[in-house]
Amino acid sequence: MSEERPLILLRGLRKEFNGLVAVEGLDLEIKEGEFICFLGPSGCGKTTTLRMIAGLETPTAGDIFLRGKRINDLPPQQRQVGFVFQNYALFWHATVYDNLAFGLRVREVSKEEIDRRVRETAARFELEPLLETRASRLSLSAMQRVALGRTLLTEPNVLLLDEPLNNIRPGLREVMRAELKRLQQQLGRTMIYVTHDQEEAMTLGDRILVMNMGRAEQLASPRQIYHRPETLFVAGFIGRPPMNFLETQYRVEGDRAFLERGNLRWEVSEKRSIIEEKVKGNRIVLGIRPEHILPVAEAREKGLTGQAVPVTVDLVQPLARKKIVDLKVGDKVIKMLVPGTSSLAKGEELEVIFDPRKMHLFDQKTERAIV
Ligand code: ATP
């Protein structure tokens, strides 16, 4: 049965624009009913990938399969995909009502049914007062909501969304995000959602494809992306404030192994065989998230052992319920996240522990995680 077959399969996909490589060697399988987010910085190739799946760009190399059928040469309208792109493509002279109704009219749905569904969507997306307004007179936010509503009303099997909520005010944005997730779960719609907003990707995606410079860095669940980043890029891109990185040297002493930096050292004897198998030189980047650094006393209470790192508080920034504390470690500044009640102040000296269960190691040369 088709459940086993990926809905969409990309193989070795590549796109070049006049010598500029926008997408390179992309392999990806998307299952029926999945919510996949393409996440990455501006220019990393997210939109180009989406446009190739939609049929709006022709790949320079590689293949696109839909339910096992190669669709490289199939025109967009025959691909059974709905898309909402950044430029909305509304019928500018038509009213919001007519824009929303369009997809249903061409399918010959009854007038009463069209009216019911258009009004239902309008209510949900706060478009009711605008139903008789021409699309060309709408705000950006309303255009975006009409574009999304119109596409959702046609209930395509695959929905391609390119930053569909970026002009929508906070509050309504969360409502629409939840609506998308609900549609995906209740109706089993497959969605590919392009965003550069990690929170959006982390809350929406069943899996996230992190892209960088046209290439896939990692494809995994939000949990894995956060807990098991496979590359330095993913580790640094996901998480706020971002992961701290310290360059270290790997050194063996008898049957023990250490990561050294100045007069600091972390014992990594239990990882020795994997490090020696995977690392090309002796340079290892130690990664630790701000939320996994603790003052020594607190760490010891939790039973955590490990290198006590002497630091000096350089800056304290209050957030809503937490504080970000900049700590000087020799010539480097790292960030620690502490509860809002913490009384740490600039200039204070203390010792911290990096939670040893949460330390990430990367080969400095290949920039890949050592796991
Ligand atoms: P953004 O979020 O800014 O849209 P993105 O990750 O979606 O970024 P793409 O729009 O896919 O990135 O662009 C990838 C690269 O390809 C960029 O360097 C971009 O300038 C280039 N590019 C995209 N479309 C074209 C085009 N039609 N002609 C020439 N270069 C293009």
Side-chain angles (χ1 to χ4, degrees), residues 17-18 20-23 40-49 57 86 162-163 194 196:
F17 294 106
N18 306 320
L20 181 141
V21 180
V23 176
S42 184
C44 70
K46 307 179 294 288
T47 298
T48 304
T49 306
E57 296 286 358
Q86 281 162 326
D162 191 354
E163 311 243 10
V194 163
H196 62 268

Side-chain angles (χ1 to χ4, degrees), residues 17 43 75 116 136 166 183 206 212 226 229 278 300 323:
F17 294 106
R116 191 184 64 74
S136 55
N166 63 350
L183 272 166
D206 295 321
N212 178 30
Y226 173 84
K278 297 225 166 159
R300 299 289 184 235
K323 285 177 179 167

